[in-house]
Amino acid sequence: MGRPIRTRRQATLASLAAELGVSRTTVSNAYNRPDQLSPELRRRVLETARRLGYPGPDPVARSLRTRKAGAVGLLLTENLSYAFRDPAAIGVLEGLALACEDARVGLHLVPASPGLEDVAAVHRAGVDGFVVYSVPDDDPHLQAVLQRPVPTVIIDQPRIDGIDRVGPDDAAAITGLARHLIELGHRQIGVLCMRLARERNDDFAPIARQREAHFHVQSARLAALAAEFEKVGVEWSTVPVVERFDHTVDDGASAARQLLDAQPQITAVICTSDILALGALAEASRRGLRVPQDLTVTGFDGITEAERIGLTTVHQPVLEKGKAAGKLLLGAAERVTSKVIILPTELRLGSTSGPPRTVEERWFGP
């Protein structure tokens, strides 16, 4: 048998302090409170630590001692990749990360795939608070978050009394868009919306499902559209609303296909997100429909691609949304009452909205 390999025993905070002839507190301050040491002393501590192989204070032990994890948890009830794929989610994530950078704390993503009932990820998360990004009011992960004795801030939805929240006034924002289309003369409209509940529905959404939706943002936008169009004599029960569970351009295209196959007389497609609108535009192009001469298409969010192609949409400041949520969470200890921040929106008119085609006009449909 060969001779056993000897490994050098890892240095500890105590052994490093003894080597330097300083207190343990001095060594700890070199890592955690560098302003408490002179630059020369801190440099000497760090150089000796590298020479002896000291890895730095144990973060687990420190969190047990201070009862602080030094991180913010972001609950996202989507697959983890969604946070890096969806443009609006990317903006929110960047804003939240900026707030964390300013406060010198980490950001811990707590993803929970749709339909997943296991809330262990929430219980395991070593965080000082949660930002909950756009979840339904009956989501079990949300309930698990609210059971934790840490501050919570909700982005967009749901609305819960006593819990901090950041988001736009969705009803007011889409009301302006509805009035724009009404003034153009549109009465034969259809809607493409994001998921309304946790159970999958890739089909038309009846009135009952719209009104009982667990995603408040979608229900608020649909209710506001209904209120405005009913003022000009459009019975909302006659307006087709197509729902998609997944949020991709392809899903927007398939929803538009389903809508236009069923109701080819529609002159405007209102989408509750820019992603769905991009899909609707792709389907319109496939059918040979001119936009906006044959079909008006609108969105909601104001993502970069929507602005690039001139989509008529409602712009919301997604980066500021994430940043505001982070600052609100990190300042929660200084407040005794909950706070709601309503972010401004802007209707941006582009080249995809125009007056409805008339019966005299040739329609280049299939």
Side-chain angles (χ1 to χ4, degrees):
M1 295 179 62
R3 180 178 297 178
I5 298 175
R6 291 187 178 184
T7 58
R8 185 175 66 178
R9 185 176 180 181
Q10 189 177 65
T12 64
L13 185 146
S15 64
L16 179 58
E19 173 77 12
L20 290 161
V22 300
S23 69
R24 297 184 185 187
T25 300
T26 296
V27 174
S28 178
N29 284 344
Y31 290 90
N32 302 318
R33 302 178 67 189
D35 59 303
Q36 300 296 306
L37 306 182
S38 68
E40 174 58 29
L41 178 55
R42 182 170 188 260
R43 182 191 61 76
R44 188 159 64 90
V45 171
L46 297 179
E47 285 185 354
T48 304
R50 281 193 292 271
R51 178 170 57 82
L52 297 181
Y54 175 62
D58 184 350
V60 175
R62 183 173 60 219
S63 66
L64 289 173
R65 183 176 65 255
T66 63
R67 302 189 68 81
K68 290 289 185 182
V72 168
L74 173 63
L75 177 67
L76 178 74
T77 52
E78 297 285 349
N79 294 317
L80 183 59
S81 59
Y82 184 84
F84 303 95
R85 184 182 70 246
D86 183 84
I90 291 171
V92 169
L93 185 61
E94 180 182 359
L96 180 56
L98 288 171
C100 290
E101 287 175 6
D102 290 343
R104 301 182 68 180
V105 299
L107 178 58
H108 177 65
L109 297 185
V110 187
S113 300
L116 184 66
E117 299 293 329
D118 184 4
V119 298
V122 172
H123 295 313
R124 288 194 305 263
V127 297
D128 299 317
F130 284 94
V131 172
V132 177
Y133 180 36
S134 196
V135 306
D137 57 14
D138 62 345
D139 191 280
H141 301 87
L142 171 64
Q143 300 308 315
V145 164
L146 297 179
Q147 290 169 2
R148 294 277 302 266
V150 294
T152 299
V153 174
I154 293 173
I155 294 179
D156 289 339
Q157 57 190 341
R159 298 182 296 269
I160 301 177
D161 291 340
I163 302 297
D164 293 340
R165 184 171 60 85
V166 176
D169 184 335
D170 289 280
I174 209 161
T175 292
L177 176 63
R179 290 173 179 169
H180 167 63
L181 296 179
I182 288 169
E183 289 170 0
L184 287 174
H186 291 282
R187 300 295 185 271
Q188 294 179 308
I189 63 168
V191 180
L192 308 185
C193 76
M194 297 168 65
R195 74 176 72 137
L196 298 173
R198 294 171 61 210
E199 65 272 12
R200 179 177 288 272
N201 176 54
D202 292 313
D203 208 336
F204 290 95
I207 292 290
R209 184 174 175 85
Q210 296 175 39
R211 291 175 177 169
E212 297 167 3
H214 290 281
F215 283 90
H216 295 161
V217 166
Q218 298 301 304
S219 63
R221 293 178 189 176
L222 291 174
L225 289 171
E228 286 306 304
F229 277 96
E230 286 186 342
K231 288 178 183 178
V232 294
V234 177
E235 175 57 46
W236 190 252
S237 62
T238 67
V239 175
V241 176
V242 179
E243 178 184 356
R244 282 297 181 266
F245 189 83
D246 295 320
H247 189 227
T248 68
V249 173
D250 287 344
D251 285 287
S254 69
R257 188 175 312 123
Q258 185 176 11
L259 174 67
L260 294 172
D261 282 347
Q263 308 243 6
Q265 77 281 7
I266 286 171
T267 63
V269 177
I270 304 171
C271 304
T272 63
S273 79
D274 287 346
I275 292 294
L276 295 178
L278 294 177
L281 289 172
E283 176 60 18
S285 176
R286 189 189 72 83
R287 289 172 175 258
L289 295 176
R290 302 167 301 169
V291 176
Q293 294 92 333
D294 297 323
L295 187 69
T296 282
V297 177
T298 66
F300 196 113
D301 282 332
I303 64 175
T304 301
E305 179 63 12
E307 294 185 357
R308 187 188 70 79
I309 66 172
L311 178 69
T312 292
T313 188
V314 174
H315 178 272
Q316 60 170 322
V318 290
L319 187 144
E320 286 304 317
K321 183 189 292 186
K323 197 169 185 178
K327 289 182 176 180
L328 195 58
L329 181 72
L330 294 166
E334 303 170 4
R335 293 181 286 108
V336 294
T337 59
S338 60
K339 185 174 182 179
V340 175
I341 297 177
I342 303 299
L343 298 173
T345 59
E346 178 187 358
L347 175 60
R348 295 187 176 177
L349 303 182
S351 59
T352 65
S353 59
R357 62 182 182 272
T358 65
V359 293
E360 290 81 14
E361 288 181 295
R362 183 184 175 189
W363 180 31
F364 294 89

